[in-house]
Amino acid sequence: MIIHPTLKVSALIFGLLGLGMGTSAVSNATSLSVPARSLSEQIALIEPYTQIHIPEGATEPVGALIMFHGCGGLKNVQDGYAEAALEAGYGVVIVDSLSARRIGRFAAMSQVCTAMRLWGQERSADVFAAVQIAASDARIDGDQLTLVGWSHGGWTIIDALAASGRNQAPDSLLGEINPLAEQVRAAVLIYPYCGFPVGSDGSDLNSDIPVFAILAGNDMIAPHRDCRATLTRARDAGVSIEFDVWAGLTHAFDKPGPSADPRMEYDPDATQRAYTRVVGILDQVLMTPG
């Protein structure tokens, strides 16, 4: 693994912004502090923290849903979607990006969720690694994969699709990349973060991978207007895009239980609707199980 020279990233960001420099300049500068690994090293990093679940009774390889959690790490959000996908006959691959990097709950909330650490551009290497981990499991049909990401996980997928669309490895991955489209049939974004410092404006996404998104109408953490602009640019560039703004919902509307953050409120009906929507997308883009 190669480690680029360390910078005082937070001070540099504010300095560049103060000078009026744009997203690209900040992204390029912060990439100097990003660990760069080969694909095999990236696989070794996340594989011990990747769960693979297969539908009970499956006798043939199944298509699978690869999950990327939000900035706070794995939560009970993913459980319901996993159960719904398994019941529908699909495999589930859950990537714990934070545990793989020894990032605990406090560091997640104070550093990752504040964009001081682990930007989507860096974490996007996990997408390329997870696809290969899934494809190497004999129980999974490696050509029938769908990505899903929540919030920071959505940002991660956006930047992975952009790298794939440019046919370039992200800064955090060394060597040539698989363009993803040979194995990934779709990407699903659930209240994704699309504002600064996301590394793509949507125009460079891989046009061979359709994107579906669920945006929350009252989202104060990842405002839907940013993603609407990103997804509209992607559509204009030839990407198949389907997105809906679900009125009255907040960020993390699908996280069961009470929230200490007034900007996030659980909605059980909308959560069930989201489960149904994701399974419907799998039915649409993947081969029918069994």
Side-chain angles (χ1 to χ4, degrees):
M1 178 180 69
I2 296 174
I3 304 292
H4 294 289
T6 301
L7 297 175
K8 298 291 186 179
V9 175
S10 60
L12 179 61
I13 291 173
F14 289 115
L16 290 172
L17 291 177
L19 291 173
M21 299 180 73
T23 303
S24 177
V26 176
S27 177
N28 289 339
T30 55
S31 71
L32 294 176
S33 65
V34 170
R37 303 179 180 89
S38 67
L39 181 59
S40 61
E41 290 173 329
Q42 195 71 28
I43 290 172
L45 175 74
I46 69 168
E47 192 164 25
Y49 303 93
T50 299
Q51 306 170 36
I52 298 179
H53 304 280
I54 302 298
E56 186 175 354
T59 58
E60 299 290 336
V62 296
L65 183 64
I66 305 179
M67 298 184 170
F68 297 91
H69 58 70
C71 68
L74 271 182
K75 299 180 181 179
N76 55 355
V77 173
Q78 282 71 49
D79 294 344
Y81 290 91
E83 291 174 5
L86 288 167
E87 288 176 4
Y90 299 101
V92 174
V93 179
I94 306 174
V95 181
D96 187 347
S97 295
L98 299 194
S99 293
R101 294 170 172 84
R102 305 294 193 270
I103 299 175
R105 176 67 174 168
F106 178 78
M109 300 306 295
S110 62
Q111 299 173 17
V112 180
C113 290
T114 57
M116 301 299 290
R117 180 180 184 184
L118 192 63
W119 286 9
Q121 294 93 314
E122 176 182 349
R123 190 182 171 199
S124 62
D126 289 8
V127 175
F128 293 91
V131 166
Q132 297 310 309
I133 290 170
S136 67
D137 191 306
R139 300 169 298 170
I140 291 177
D141 184 339
D143 295 330
Q144 296 292 321
L145 305 175
T146 294
L147 311 173
V148 61
W150 293 259
S151 193
H152 190 287
W155 169 8
T156 296
I157 291 173
I158 289 170
D159 279 335
L161 295 181
S164 178
R166 297 190 298 267
N167 199 29
Q168 296 176 345
D171 290 332
S172 53
L173 200 59
L174 300 172
E176 297 183 357
I177 61 168
N178 182 315
L180 296 180
E182 295 177 3
Q183 296 163 295
V184 175
R185 297 292 163 238
V188 183
L189 313 175
I190 302 178
Y191 45 81
Y193 183 75
C194 300
F196 177 83
V198 175
S200 170
D201 68 355
S203 62
D204 51 358
L205 302 190
N206 190 318
S207 60
D208 293 324
I209 300 176
V211 175
F212 302 82
I214 298 171
L215 311 180
N218 290 350
D219 198 331
M220 300 176 64
I221 295 173
H224 65 80
R225 63 180 178 274
D226 292 332
C227 284
R228 289 177 66 180
T230 295
L231 296 172
T232 298
R233 279 189 290 268
R235 179 183 289 159
D236 291 344
V239 182
S240 174
I241 299 288
E242 291 185 26
F243 70 88
D244 296 298
V245 179
W246 289 10
L249 300 180
T250 70
H251 200 75
F253 67 82
D254 52 356
K255 182 184 183 303
S259 172
D261 189 332
R263 299 172 299 172
M264 298 187 291
E265 182 177 351
Y266 175 54
D267 187 311
D269 292 335
T271 298
Q272 291 298 322
R273 180 184 172 197
Y275 297 164
T276 300
R277 174 61 174 147
V278 170
V279 170
I281 292 169
L282 296 179
D283 290 342
Q284 178 180 336
V285 302
L286 301 184
M287 294 178 62
T288 304

